[in-house]
Structure formats: C-alpha cells, structure tokens
Amino acid sequence: MKKINLKGIITAVILASLTLCLTGCGGEKESPAKDFVTLEINGEVIISGYKSQIPDIIVPKKIKGKPVTIISDGAFNGLKFVTSIKLHDGIKKIGTGSFSGCEQITSIAVPEGITEIGDNTFRDCEKLENITLPSTLKTIGKNAFKACKSLKEINIPEGVESIGEAAFLDCHSLSKVYLPSSINSIGLQSFFNTQDLEITMGANGSFCLTKTNKNLKIKVIGNYTTAQISDFGKILKNMPKNISIALDMGDAVGSGEIEEDSFDYEENLTSFVLPKGITKISRGAFENCNNLLEVVLQEGLLEIGMSAFAGCDSLEFISIPNTVLKIDEGAFYYSDALKEIIIPDSVKHLEAHAFESCSSLEKVAIGKGIEIIKRDTFFSCPLLTSITIPANVKRIENGAFFASGIKTINYCGSKDQLKTYSDTFPYGVTINYDYSGE
C-alpha cells in the first residue's frame, strides 16, 4: 500500500486556505508594492505613481511593513487603461488631481477618515457612475468631479461644509443630488450644465440654486425660519431665466409666515408645496408668478394674504385647506387660468376683489362660514354662469358678480334672508330662493 504524504497534504491545505482568504475572505489580493512609485516619510508610505499595466488596482495597506496613508497629487492621473481602484480605510489624504482622467473607472468608494476631496481629484472620469463619500468628509474642491459625464446621482453626506467652484460642472447625466444642511459655501457653476436636477437639500443648500442652467426639482427637508424661506425667493430671482423650478417644501417645517413679496414676479417657479407649520401667506408673496402651475397648501394655514397669488395667470387649480379663516383682498386677482375654487367652511372672511378678473373660472363652491360676499369678489369672471350660495350668506355687496357670466343664482335661504344691490349681478340674472339642491 502506497504511503500517504501527510505533511504534503497539510501544506497544500494551508496554501489553499491562504489563497482563498486572499481572494475571498474580505479580500481580493492587493496589488504588489513593485507596481507603485512610493516615498516614505516619518514611517508612512506615500503613493505617487503607478508603474504596472494591470487595469485593476487594489492599493495595499502596507508596503515594506509601513502603512500606506497618502495618495499624492496626480498619483494616478491620466491612466486611461485603469478600470478599478480600491482604497483602504487607512488612507488619510487623497491629493489634488490624483485620479483625474481615469476614464474607465465606473465606481469608487472614498475611505472613511478622508476629510477633503481636493481640486480636480476625479475630473474627467467619464465612465464614473457611482461614488461613495465618507461621513468624515468636510470639503469638496474645485473641479473635483468636473466632466464626470456618467455620474447619475450624488449623496453628499452631512458634515460637508463647502463645495468648490465647478465641482460638478458638465456632469451631463447627473439628475439627483442630496445636499446636507451643513453646507455653508458652494462655488460658482458647481452644478452648471448638468441634467434636469432633482435636489434634496437642508436649510442652507439653497446656495446651489444659482449654479445650474437646467430644470430643477427641489425637495427641501429640515426646519426653516421665515427669513430662510424668503431667502429661497431671493435666490430664485437671481437665477438665469427660462429655467423650470418645482419647489417642494412639503417635508420641511416652517415657522410663522411666507413674507411679503417673497416669490413675487418669479418667472421660473412652476410649482410650490408649502412647508408644514406656515400659518400665513403674506401680501404679494407669489404675485405675478406667471408660470406657476400648481400650489399645494398645508393644513394649519390660517390666512391667504392680500394679492398673495394675484396675476398668477398659469395657475389652474389650488386646494384651500379647511383650516383657512381668511382669504384677503385681491388674493387671486387676475389669476386668468384658475378654473375651479372650493372655499371651505372654515373661511369666515372672503374679502373684496378676491377672485376678480379670473377669466377662466367656471366653478365656485362657497363654504358655510361666509356671511358676506364682498364687493367685486367675482367681478369680471365671464365663464362663471351659475353658482349655489348657502343660506349662511346674508349679504352680497356691490359688483360681487357684476360683469361675470352669471345667469342663475341658487340661494339656499329665503328671499328675506338675502340682501343684494342693484349692481350686484349682471342684468337678467335669475335667483332661485329656497334652493334645496335638486
């Protein structure tokens, strides 16, 4: 019987286990030290270049027993044949332009502990689709991701305080960005010439809005003061024209009011969702926002101020929450596209001229909290041909429906209950008293 070489078998098993561990136990095999140009300073190794033609690079944790801690400026710059680079968490610094021009890299994870991505670090990485940024990051430098044409989404972690000039310039595929509330500085053209962006941002993220030339879907989170909400309006007014901006503050929490004239004459604004916690939309807040198509108001809103949406001639529909107590004078004056309005029972004060010259208004529902329809409320609404008025309304003032298309008034109370004037309605209007809804 043949003698078994026990020692040889044990050695083979050990070698196989080691090989398996290098390739599969948390681990691929590190690139050999000879592939790199290195420099040792104070017991730590700096990688300053790459000598091999192997396209997949795994930066070793140690070289000659010394920890690899720094990728120097331009270390892998212009290596167009490289398809992947893996970095370990012991790296403390990634230098300026260190991966610039690595056109074939598709993804990379920046290690925890890195606080800065320097200027031009990933510039012209044309196939880079995914990047993971560490929670320790504080700064993104100038041109850091410029012309990363395949980058689709970027999640910038909380703690990042500044984004340099042109950091994401010419990222043509970039469509989703998360900006943290820790941001306090964003350089010029940071997001210029990108895709139609959907941006989720904290309270300070609005700095970026002047740095793009494409359509924006902006979702805002966090807590906002009245002043911060007004700052949004100021920033939007300074943006280039002919940009479509959908501003969703529905998951944000505001305080107090939308200040006077905050978003007035803002031609780029196409939709707006009010933050929670806002109790008043002040005078002229959205006046003459000519391209505003949609507005969503939140429960808790108490007052729609004077001329708040006057001249919004693209606004077709707005739902008024049942917490609103007052619709002030001229609130929707000359909102030419408004087709339907439902005034909830909570509204106690419907002021003069509120819906005057709404030339597309066809349907109106009057709530049970209103006792007086004031002067010129629905003046010059030519498509409004009939309306039902609840019995709680006791007086309809001069011109309330004058120059409108009204032909029939269905009044749910008796003739003795309702006071009208000679110029309340157009000539020839029929009033059906004691209307029961049949």
Side-chain angles (χ1 to χ4, degrees), residues 48-119:
S48 59
Y50 185 64
K51 298 183 288 186
S52 174
Q53 292 300 308
I54 296 173
D56 300 311
I57 301 172
I58 300 176
V59 174
K61 292 184 178 180
K62 290 184 178 181
I63 291 179
K64 296 181 180 179
K66 303 291 174 41
V68 176
T69 59
I70 296 174
I71 308 295
S72 74
D73 295 353
F76 299 93
N77 179 45
L79 299 183
K80 297 181 180 181
F81 66 91
V82 172
T83 55
S84 70
I85 298 176
K86 294 189 178 180
L87 307 172
H88 59 81
D89 285 348
I91 292 173
K92 301 175 183 178
K93 182 179 179 181
I94 296 174
T96 298
S98 50
F99 302 100
S100 178
C102 292
E103 295 178 355
Q104 302 300 316
I105 294 175
T106 58
S107 66
I108 195 165
V110 179
E112 287 294 323
I114 295 293
T115 59
E116 179 180 3
I117 293 176
D119 297 351

Side-chain angles (χ1 to χ4, degrees), residues 246-321:
L247 180 56
D248 182 354
M249 303 185 81
D251 288 336
V253 178
S255 60
E257 63 187 60
I258 305 290
E259 291 183 331
E260 290 187 12
D261 307 326
S262 290
F263 296 89
D264 65 330
Y265 292 91
E266 178 41 62
E267 295 183 1
N268 294 330
L269 192 63
T270 58
S271 70
F272 181 83
V273 181
L274 193 74
K276 299 178 180 72
I278 296 296
T279 56
K280 181 180 179 181
I281 299 174
S282 297
R283 178 174 182 164
F286 295 90
E287 186 174 5
N288 290 313
C289 289
N290 294 326
N291 294 306
L292 186 62
L293 301 171
E294 180 185 16
V295 174
V296 178
L297 306 179
Q298 303 269 23
E299 294 289 324
L301 182 67
L302 302 177
E303 182 177 345
I304 299 174
M306 183 182 294
S307 304
F309 296 95
C312 293
D313 53 15
S314 296
L315 185 63
E316 293 188 2
F317 179 78
I318 187 167
S319 178
I320 298 174

Side-chain angles (χ1 to χ4, degrees), residues 170-192:
D170 293 333
C171 292
H172 300 314
S173 299
L174 188 62
S175 60
K176 290 187 177 181
V177 175
Y178 174 82
L179 291 174
S181 57
S182 54
I183 289 284
N184 56 44
S185 174
I186 296 184
L188 292 173
Q189 295 188 326
S190 294
F191 295 92
F192 195 78

Side-chain angles (χ1 to χ4, degrees), residues 155-169:
N155 188 335
I156 298 173
E158 280 293 337
V160 174
E161 297 171 355
S162 66
I163 297 175
E165 184 176 317
F168 296 91
L169 175 67

Side-chain angles (χ1 to χ4, degrees), residues 16-29:
S17 298
L18 286 171
T19 302
L20 197 60
C21 204
L22 283 171
T23 58
C25 294
E28 300 125 311
K29 189 175 180 181

